[in-house]
Amino acid sequence: MYFEMMKMKDVNRFIGREDTIIVDLRNEDEYCSGHIPGALNIPYEQGENIAIYVQGYRYVLLYCHKGSVSLLAARDLHGVNAAVFSLCGGIRAYTGILERS
């Protein structure tokens, strides 16, 4: 396995770190309604090459609505030089304060 699962309770220790990118894979409307602080919105269904955006980061945290899309995106990042994590339960499992755009 080339990525790991991370529980949402562990996300807070990565928020705001310069060596970490948090990627919200939901569509723009869902992202704007509330996202993990500092998360970058790269909607998975748009087919963007996420690997381009995560280059240079030590940790890559991916999340979606429930967790299934982030698993697909994590699989797609096979070969990147970073620790890749799919966040269990997606944004629905996040209990922190959401940022709104």
Side-chain angles (χ1 to χ4, degrees):
M1 184 187 242
Y2 40 86
F3 66 89
E4 296 180 43
M5 302 299 294
M6 179 183 289
K7 293 182 180 183
M8 276 293 187
K9 67 180 177 101
D10 298 323
V11 171
N12 288 335
R13 66 185 182 146
F14 290 93
I15 293 174
R17 289 179 50 159
E18 291 184 19
D19 62 352
T20 301
I21 185 169
I22 302 173
V23 179
D24 185 320
L25 299 162
R26 300 172 301 149
N27 68 44
E28 185 178 1
D29 289 339
E30 292 170 319
Y31 173 81
C32 290
S33 70
H35 54 272
I36 293 174
L40 176 66
N41 185 221
I42 307 173
Y44 187 75
E45 71 272 359
Q46 288 183 2
E48 300 245 4
N49 187 350
I50 298 167
I52 293 169
Y53 295 93
V54 304
Q55 290 182 13
Y57 289 97
R58 185 173 178 194
Y59 302 102
V60 177
L61 282 59
L62 305 166
Y63 74 92
C64 56
H65 185 67
K66 293 188 238 176
S68 55
V69 172
S70 62
L71 288 172
L72 296 173
R75 180 200 63 202
D76 294 346
L77 290 178
H78 176 66
V80 299
N81 191 22
V84 177
F85 297 91
S86 175
L87 302 178
C88 296
I91 193 71
R92 291 177 12 158
Y94 184 67
T95 59
I97 296 173
L98 296 175
E99 217 172 54
R100 300 199 192 300
S101 300

